[in-house]
Amino acid sequence: MKLFTICSYAAVSLAPLINAYPGMAANMGEFHASAKEARQDTKQLIGDLKTLKDSQLTSVGKDIKAILLNQQNALSTVIDTGAPAGTPDSAACKADLCCIWKWISYDMTARFNGSSGRCTKYARAAVRLGFHDSGAWSTSSSFGGADGSILLTDEINRGENSGLEFIAEQMKAWYSKYNKYGVSMADLIQMGANVATVVCPLGPRVRSFVGRKDNAKAGPTGLLPSPRDSADSIIKLFAAKTIDPTDLVALVGAHTTSQQHFFDTSRDGDPQDSTPGVWDVAFYGETTTSTPPRIIKFPSDIALSQDSRTSALWQGMSVQGRWNSDWSKAYTRLSLLGVNNINDLKECTKVLPAARTTFVNQDQVLLDRWLQGEFDQLNNMVDDAIMLTGVISGRSANETES
Ligand code: HEM
Ligand SMILES: *[C@@H]1O[C@H](CO)[C@@H](O)[C@H](O)[C@H]1NC(C)=O
Ligand SMILES: CC(=O)N[C@H]1CO[C@H](CO)[C@@H](O)[C@@H]1O
């Protein structure tokens, strides 16, 4: 039988970058450029934190306020590696708020982790779903945001949500399983995004809060971006959600994991950078340089990489530790849009799996050929092992008898 031989390893490590961030000499140029940009940003408070006095804040309220004001990041290594306190129906589990979330985290992790070591299409779609639920909100909305409405109403059928159907079905199945334990759809969606992010190799482990309220009313329309929008309209659209250029540039970096299906239906499965399913920073650099033919770049991403308000930030974000830290703050804000009980939320970060700070891409040789346009049949198999003997049999010089 012909077997594919692994003859090239692309290894990346996050750890040295974290140690180097933010002030080490090598990164100083980029850091200063973006720090200057960042000073022009105005960090706004949202929800109940806009009116509560410091003396009224809970410890979660204080931490979220500091994250929103850019005074601390939202990364955490706090982890509970033990088994849950009991089965979901047990008294022990009911007595421990995060117990049910531990079970949910197990279910989600199994769904989000691909056998290639990359994260699956469910993981990527879960991150996008988190954005599309909370993003249906602006400062002039009296409803909407991270309220579960994308799945509790027919919001999911809006054109901008194409491609989210399968994660919608999965999330509704989890809701049916866990809502009886008091879990809201809004929290399930946002926890889903945070589990997905950290299951993607190199992804940040973002502090995760629960206690959002569901809303059975569809969110306001016209508040999600199109890939053909100009940089100016996207910057303004996000500004109206209190998301400044730094947060915006960090958030669109999620396209590093992406494989599009509907932007160009004739190229189903084509990725937005050379490493789909990996939470690396390749996307930022590759958006501005020439890349293999299978990679599709959204015009909106190119526009943001070039606009005078975002181009220096785009360059600065291409340092893994910087991006993960900025992502954690930006996503915390995004995940709380429209939430008016932030001070009453509870923290269950400890249920998230451990971050994976290194990734060895064992099938890079085959991936590289796929990126050049070979092996269409792999488009929807990149998540799972791409080392498929049948697919490449007889076609590759990089084979060996075994
Ligand atoms: C700035 C404006 C944005 C535009 C115009 C945009 C547009 C798009 C488009 C067109 C797709 C491909 C959908 C498909 O054809 O299947 C996509 C995928 C994706 N987007 Fe965005 N997006 C934006 C911002 C964001 C943000 C803020 C996030 C997360 C916080 C995000 C997360 C994702 C993810 C994870 C995918 C991959 C989904 C998959 O692989 O199935 N995007 N986006
Ligand atoms: C995901 O799978 C990889 C192996 O492919 C494994 O090393 C990793 O620990 C798994 N991640 C989680 C969170 O279970
Ligand atoms: C046809 C092909 O993909 N050949 C590659 C085999 O592997 C060597 C070393 O990894 C590459 O240099 C060839 O391009």
Side-chain angles (χ1 to χ4, degrees), residues 19-290:
N19 294 336
Y21 177 78
M24 302 268 295
N27 297 329
M28 282 302 262
E30 280 161 334
F31 184 70
H32 279 166
S34 30
K36 200 167 125 217
E37 292 270 350
R39 274 197 298 274
Q40 294 163 4
D41 296 342
T42 39
K43 296 290 179 187
Q44 297 173 57
L45 289 174
I46 47 177
D48 49 327
L49 295 184
K50 279 192 337 197
T51 47
L52 289 171
K53 298 188 186 81
D54 280 351
S55 61
Q56 297 173 290
L57 296 182
T58 60
S59 69
V60 163
K62 276 184 198 129
D63 278 5
I64 294 177
K65 180 171 180 177
I67 292 164
L68 294 172
L69 294 178
N70 204 21
Q71 291 159 356
Q72 65 181 60
N73 72 33
L75 297 168
S76 174
T77 54
V78 174
I79 189 163
D80 175 3
T81 52
T87 57
D89 287 314
S90 67
C93 199
K94 284 177 179 150
D96 169 359
L97 171 78
C98 295
C99 174
I100 198 65
W101 286 105
K102 182 93 188 184
W103 287 107
I104 293 169
S105 172
Y106 285 157
D107 277 2
M108 289 178 166
T109 300
R111 199 30 130 183
F112 294 161
N113 201 8
S115 59
S116 61
R118 289 179 274 271
C119 55
T120 63
K121 66 176 187 174
Y122 285 90
R124 284 132 36 192
V127 174
R128 187 163 174 242
L129 182 70
F131 166 42
H132 283 211
D133 190 34
S134 65
W137 183 85
S138 83
T139 49
S140 47
S141 313
S142 59
F143 64 100
D147 63 358
S149 63
I150 194 169
L151 298 182
L152 296 170
T153 70
D154 61 2
E155 216 180 301
I156 191 71
N157 299 328
R158 295 176 185 171
E160 68 259 23
N161 294 325
S162 288
L164 293 173
E165 297 80 2
F166 64 92
I167 191 65
E169 286 318 303
Q170 175 62 81
M171 205 57 82
K172 285 179 188 170
W174 284 329
Y175 181 73
S176 307
K177 186 170 171 188
Y178 293 112
N179 177 247
K180 59 174 171 285
Y181 305 107
V183 168
S184 70
M185 184 69 96
D187 282 343
L188 203 55
I189 291 172
Q190 296 307 327
M191 183 66 84
N194 282 357
V195 173
T197 306
V198 73
V199 168
C200 295
L202 311 188
R205 199 161 175 284
V206 180
R207 291 180 66 180
S208 299
F209 304 99
V210 296
R212 293 172 192 77
K213 293 178 178 156
D214 281 342
N215 191 343
K217 179 174 174 181
T221 55
L223 295 175
L224 287 168
S226 148
R228 291 186 178 78
D229 285 347
S230 67
D232 189 60
S233 77
I234 291 176
I235 290 168
K236 287 178 177 148
L237 185 75
F238 279 79
K241 303 182 198 301
T242 78
I243 293 174
D244 65 21
T246 306
D247 288 345
L248 166 60
V249 170
L251 290 170
V252 296
H255 292 164
T256 189
T257 60
S258 176
Q259 284 181 264
Q260 72 84 32
H261 303 282
F262 291 92
F263 169 69
D264 182 343
T265 50
S266 73
R267 294 179 57 182
D268 188 28
D270 280 6
Q272 278 54 76
D273 78 355
S274 59
T275 52
V278 183
W279 200 271
D280 61 9
V281 291
F283 164 77
Y284 288 107
E286 291 179 9
T287 301
T288 61
T289 51
S290 78

